[in-house]
Amino acid sequence: MTTHHPFDQALALEPLAEGHYRGQTHPAYWNIVGPFGGVTAATVLRAILLHPRLLGEPLSLTVNYAGALSTGPFTVQATPVRTNRSTQHWNVSILQTDAQGEQVVATTATAVTAARRETWSLADTPMPAVPRPEQLEPVGSVGGVEWFNRYDIRPVTGAIPRQWNGQGDSSLTQLWMRDQPERALDFCALAAQADIFFPRVWLRRALHVPAGTVSITVYFHASSGQLHDTGTGYLLGQARAQEFRNGFFDQAVQLWNEAGTLLATSHQIVYYKE
Amino acid sequence: MTTHHPFDQALALEPLAEGHYRGQTHPAYWNIVGPFGGVTAATVLRAILLHPRLLGEPLSLTVNYAGALSTGPFTVQATPVRTNRSTQHWNVSILQTDAQGEQVVATTATAVTAARRETWSLADTPMPAVPRPEQLEPVGSVGGVEWFNRYDIRPVTGAIPRQWNGQGDSSLTQLWMRDQPERALDFCALAAQADIFFPRVWLRRALHVPAGTVSITVYFHASSGQLHDTGTGYLLGQARAQEFRNGFFDQAVQLWNEAGTLLATSHQIVYYKE
């Protein structure tokens, strides 16, 4: 795929051998001390989707951030460890050479892809009634967080606190989002957008403490057909924490398209300090 | 640890080399076509906890059921692929020799363990107000599901339908549970109990269709001290689906102890037919 969209540039992988790729961190998706975690999750998924032995479409993806990637090249190893009739199980790792010349594991991941059949289906989590994205203001830039400029983000509720006054009272964020510039939704973009929410601890406490995702899981409910129908439309994302305890909190996420189809659900466990 | 409790017998692992163990499926936790998935998740965690290079306590665990284990021996390989100052990242797999004498991957898993420090903490998901376990009746046996007899399960709402009449209207189950015979709670038992809920599709549809977990993730909020305080008390478990789509649904779970402490949150993606 040749495209000039920065998301595709960031996900560009050069095949070295079957399931083995070389990539490169991209300044357009840089976070404070490494790439935006959503782009790392998308890179893991891209390596699977490029694999010649791929069966089906993404069903679940778990990405563990073992260490921040440094600026520069990295390698991705994606291995289908078991292929059943309709599901396939993947191990993926991202490795980088450290200052001592040693290969270090930066990211571990597992995934399941599945050849899905049409069955009885039921949408059991209606999209909340919220204003349309056109009625809301996009948030501006956040100093030093370059990847934030790659998304058009329009909060409904639970935006980043304007005052760090320790007076937070909820961990709920609802926001509309899409790639900026616009880009038709695919599985990699969906995985990335599952990780778009700032740390719940900032909102719940209205305190700006150090925090970072340790592990994220995404369950894909959408087919590629439903992603195609979503096109360049906005997604409504909802994120909420359940528990903050001794340095880690969890976050539960739902992502709907504008038509109200639940495309993915996601969870993560996040480190925080103090 | 020497104990006669069947849960400990089922989790017995004989070390072969560092991080490499031999185990054996146990009839007391047999499900219909393989072991109870909760015991498989607990076996993965036990292999990590036995490892001489373990850092900290369990924080997150993702187990992917690539194929059912057959009756008999299996091997577990647990590898700490990266150790940071306060977190450690694990890859685990369970392998079994198939009828052709080949080593086959039955289970893949990743986990993060962490040395946690006391920080600001907040319980943000209160335990629902429900009758105490002593006021409720334990469910009886389920024919052919031996592991079900290893738990004292007392449904509050959303028990297995008595009539498979296609008239379900909710996916919510709340139930009290504990090991039977009683056993003091530990991380392995907590991981197993996160998988105790029967498939949501049975409840939502009141139809008994084939179904099985593909991947489960558990986030551990409790410390070993809080597990110790829980002792042999009951856990209140709550499970709910968010979406049923083309052969797979997701399930979100919370587990509190009787004192109302949220010990773990969990999610799974589950295959269903028809």
Side-chain angles (χ1 to χ4, degrees):
Chain A
M1 191 185 332
T2 311
T3 143
H4 294 297
H5 197 287
F7 190 73
D8 294 293
Q9 290 172 9
L11 264 54
L13 293 175
E14 175 197 351
L16 303 173
E18 187 178 284
H20 197 63
Y21 309 91
R22 179 166 26 220
Q24 181 92 22
T25 61
H26 197 291
Y29 287 90
W30 200 251
N31 199 356
I32 301 172
V33 294
F36 164 44
V39 156
T40 301
T43 300
V44 165
L45 193 57
R46 173 63 58 94
I48 291 169
L49 297 179
L50 286 174
H51 200 288
R53 288 196 278 147
L54 171 68
L55 172 76
E57 296 187 342
L59 174 67
S60 78
L61 172 68
T62 294
V63 178
N64 307 290
Y65 302 94
L69 283 162
S70 308
T71 308
F74 56 80
T75 58
V76 189
Q77 178 69 53
T79 310
V81 293
R82 176 146 174 173
T83 302
N84 298 316
R85 203 177 41 158
S86 62
T87 57
Q88 189 171 43
H89 286 256
W90 295 85
N91 282 349
V92 185
S93 32
I94 301 182
L95 301 155
Q96 208 170 32
T97 306
D98 71 6
Q100 287 74 46
E102 303 240 3
Q103 283 273 88
V104 175
V105 175
T107 312
T108 67
T110 59
V112 183
T113 56
R116 301 174 80 150
R117 272 174 277 276
E118 212 169 293
T119 67
W120 171 87
S121 295
L122 179 73
D124 223 7
T125 311
M127 181 165 78
V130 298
R132 312 298 304 177
E134 298 73 22
Q135 301 170 256
L136 296 163
E137 290 298 313
V139 291
S141 293
V142 175
V145 185
E146 182 55 31
W147 70 266
F148 210 71
N149 299 316
R150 301 290 86 71
Y151 292 98
D152 172 356
I153 295 177
R154 301 176 179 223
V156 175
T157 190
I160 292 189
R162 286 163 193 233
Q163 296 195 296
W164 300 110
N165 59 8
Q167 300 293 306
D169 59 8
S170 164
S171 75
L172 175 67
T173 289
Q174 295 171 329
L175 54 79
W176 292 102
M177 60 180 130
R178 65 174 171 187
D179 283 300
Q180 184 173 264
E182 292 175 29
R183 180 179 175 281
L185 191 68
D186 58 16
F187 286 109
C188 291
L190 187 56
Q193 290 178 41
D195 190 38
I196 213 164
F197 303 91
F198 64 90
R200 303 295 86 202
V201 66
W202 296 359
L203 184 62
R204 188 65 182 83
R205 298 182 74 182
L207 271 187
H208 197 233
V209 299
T213 304
V214 175
S215 180
I216 185 172
T217 291
V218 183
Y219 296 148
F220 298 93
H221 303 295
S223 63
S224 53
Q226 285 166 318
L227 298 187
H228 183 264
D229 294 345
T230 303
T232 59
Y234 288 87
L235 302 188
L236 181 71
Q238 176 171 275
R240 198 191 309 252
Q242 300 184 92
E243 184 81 14
F244 302 84
R245 183 92 56 81
N246 292 341
F248 298 92
F249 68 86
D250 70 336
Q251 173 185 288
V253 162
Q254 295 84 27
L255 299 173
W256 295 267
N257 67 12
E258 289 188 64
T261 303
L262 188 62
L263 302 179
T265 48
S266 178
H267 311 92
Q268 56 180 262
I269 186 100
V270 183
Y271 159 81
Y272 66 93
K273 213 168 161 178
E274 296 166 23
Chain B
M1 193 185 331
T2 310
T3 144
H4 295 297
H5 197 286
F7 190 72
D8 295 292
Q9 291 173 9
L11 264 53
L13 293 176
E14 175 198 350
L16 304 173
E18 186 178 284
H20 196 64
Y21 309 91
R22 180 165 27 219
Q24 182 92 23
T25 61
H26 197 291
Y29 287 90
W30 200 250
N31 199 358
I32 300 172
V33 294
F36 165 44
V39 156
T40 301
T43 301
V44 165
L45 193 57
R46 173 63 57 97
I48 292 170
L49 297 178
L50 287 173
H51 200 288
R53 288 195 277 148
L54 172 68
L55 172 76
E57 297 188 340
L59 174 67
S60 77
L61 171 69
T62 294
V63 177
N64 306 290
Y65 301 95
L69 283 162
S70 307
T71 309
F74 55 82
T75 59
V76 189
Q77 177 69 51
T79 310
V81 293
R82 177 150 173 169
T83 303
N84 298 316
R85 203 176 43 158
S86 62
T87 58
Q88 189 171 44
H89 287 256
W90 295 85
N91 282 349
V92 185
S93 31
I94 301 181
L95 302 154
Q96 209 171 31
T97 307
D98 70 7
Q100 286 75 46
E102 304 239 3
Q103 283 272 87
V104 175
V105 174
T107 312
T108 67
T110 60
V112 183
T113 55
R116 300 174 81 151
R117 271 174 278 277
E118 213 169 292
T119 67
W120 171 87
S121 295
L122 180 72
D124 223 9
T125 311
M127 182 166 76
V130 298
R132 313 298 305 176
E134 298 74 21
Q135 300 170 259
L136 297 162
E137 290 298 313
V139 292
S141 293
V142 175
V145 185
E146 183 54 31
W147 70 266
F148 209 72
N149 299 316
R150 300 289 86 70
Y151 293 98
D152 173 356
I153 296 177
R154 300 177 179 222
V156 175
T157 189
I160 292 189
R162 286 163 192 236
Q163 295 196 297
W164 300 109
N165 59 8
Q167 300 293 306
D169 59 8
S170 164
S171 75
L172 175 68
T173 288
Q174 295 171 328
L175 54 78
W176 292 102
M177 59 180 131
R178 65 175 171 186
D179 283 300
Q180 185 173 262
E182 292 175 30
R183 179 179 176 280
L185 192 67
D186 58 15
F187 286 109
C188 291
L190 186 56
Q193 290 179 41
D195 190 39
I196 213 165
F197 303 90
F198 64 88
R200 302 296 85 201
V201 66
W202 295 359
L203 184 62
R204 189 64 182 84
R205 299 182 72 182
L207 271 186
H208 198 233
V209 298
T213 304
V214 176
S215 180
I216 185 172
T217 291
V218 183
Y219 296 148
F220 299 93
H221 303 295
S223 63
S224 53
Q226 285 166 319
L227 298 186
H228 182 264
D229 293 345
T230 303
T232 59
Y234 287 88
L235 303 188
L236 180 70
Q238 175 170 274
R240 197 193 306 255
Q242 299 184 92
E243 183 81 16
F244 302 85
R245 183 92 57 80
N246 292 341
F248 299 91
F249 69 86
D250 70 338
Q251 174 184 288
V253 162
Q254 295 85 26
L255 299 174
W256 294 267
N257 66 11
E258 289 188 65
T261 303
L262 188 63
L263 301 179
T265 48
S266 178
H267 311 93
Q268 57 177 263
I269 186 99
V270 183
Y271 159 83
Y272 66 92
K273 211 167 161 179
E274 294 166 24

